[in-house]
Amino acid sequence: MTTTESLFRVAVICGSTRSVRVGPQVTTFIHSTISNHLASPAKAGGEGTTHAKPAISLEIVDIAAFNLPLFDEVIIPQAVKDPSGYAHEHTRVWSAKIASYQAFVFVTPQYNWGIPASLKNAIDYLYNEWTAKPAMIVSYGGHGGGHAAGALKTVCQGLRMKVVENPVCLTFPDRQFRDSCLIGGDLALGEAGSAIWDKEKEDVVAGWDEMVRLLG
Ligand SMILES: Cc1cc2nc3c(=O)[nH]c(=O)nc-3n(C[C@H](O)[C@H](O)[C@H](O)COP(=O)(O)O)c2cc1C
């Protein structure tokens, strides 16, 4: 039986916020891939382990839902030890949300070889809510978004997070798919008959298992 004390809460964060976007679809795909893995017998602790499955709740967090303005806090977040130290209610709401998780799966597109400003902005609002917690990075783009993944890894390391070594980089399979991404079209991810990123699901599971080990 799961107790509240032993439950690890993990957020799968959707990093894009533009008005037409595929971020929510990719985030749901990652969430489903991990959820299916968690539901598979005795696998969640990592291949070959005999450990009991840790009790985990996996939730999607969409940055867009928080309507964060460009960073407008007064005190550097690293110096804020209690949410009452934030000047703005939007920061306190975001802080409470992130503080409630023990680990994070960041799902980010690549924008001009970096991460979206929306994601960097949301990260910069906080510090102590992120620090020392495990993080796994998933990027997507024409060539997998490896530059964005690398940039985000550096940011997470700057926050002193425990970052999974290898990011998962999801490459758009063809031009039609890429064009669909640009207009936020339906990617049919995970639908019956769709084999998109089937192989990469193994990378997602491997990254996840490493992150679970980092949870301790
Ligand atoms: C501002 C901007 C910059 C982009 N830069 C890159 C890039 O450097 N490399 C790449 O592969 N795709 C790039 N793209 C294409 C995105 O990968 C693609 O549009 C994807 O759908 C973006 O994710 P989103 O729909 O969740 O916003 C860029 C898209 C935008 C909007």
Side-chain angles (χ1 to χ4, degrees):
M1 183 68 193
T2 298
T3 64
T4 311
E5 291 74 41
S6 63
L7 184 72
F8 287 115
R9 283 168 48 82
V10 182
V12 186
I13 297 182
C14 178
S16 67
T17 61
R18 68 192 178 111
S19 52
V20 292
R21 56 184 176 144
V22 295
Q25 293 179 63
V26 181
T27 304
T28 299
F29 171 79
I30 296 301
H31 181 275
S32 303
T33 302
I34 297 170
S35 297
N36 289 340
H37 173 57
L38 288 172
S40 71
K43 280 285 188 185
E47 196 158 336
T49 69
T50 53
H51 298 156
K53 281 200 232 182
I56 286 173
S57 87
L58 198 62
E59 292 172 20
I60 289 176
V61 172
D62 188 353
I63 290 171
F66 291 82
N67 287 317
L68 292 167
L70 272 180
F71 183 76
D72 62 353
E73 275 297 324
V74 179
I75 300 172
I76 182 171
Q78 197 168 354
V80 178
K81 302 297 180 198
D82 183 277
S84 62
Y86 291 120
H88 302 294
E89 180 61 13
H90 53 253
T91 315
R92 285 189 285 274
V93 170
W94 179 234
S95 165
K97 186 70 178 168
I98 295 306
S100 72
Y101 297 104
Q102 281 81 48
F104 305 93
V105 180
F106 290 102
V107 181
T108 181
Q110 177 163 298
Y111 285 1
N112 299 315
W113 287 27
I115 60 174
S118 54
L119 176 57
K120 183 63 164 57
N121 188 54
I123 290 173
D124 287 346
Y125 259 101
L126 311 174
Y127 184 95
N128 295 300
E129 295 84 344
W130 302 113
T131 199
K133 296 177 182 176
M136 169 181 168
I137 295 168
V138 179
S139 64
Y140 53 97
H143 300 280
H147 292 292
L152 182 53
K153 187 174 182 184
T154 300
V155 170
C156 290
Q157 287 169 331
L159 291 161
R160 303 291 184 261
M161 299 182 83
K162 300 176 198 166
V163 192
V164 168
E165 184 62 28
N166 295 313
V168 177
C169 298
L170 304 171
T171 299
F172 300 156
D174 53 41
R175 189 170 293 189
Q176 192 187 346
F177 188 96
R178 180 205 65 187
D179 291 347
S180 196
C181 284
L182 291 174
I183 57 167
D186 183 358
L187 303 180
L189 296 174
E191 281 183 15
S194 165
I196 297 164
W197 296 330
D198 258 3
K199 175 101 186 60
E200 287 79 357
K201 285 180 185 173
E202 294 169 19
D203 300 333
V204 173
V205 166
W208 170 264
D209 283 342
E210 184 181 337
M211 196 174 77
V212 169
R213 286 191 287 275
L214 294 172
L215 267 168

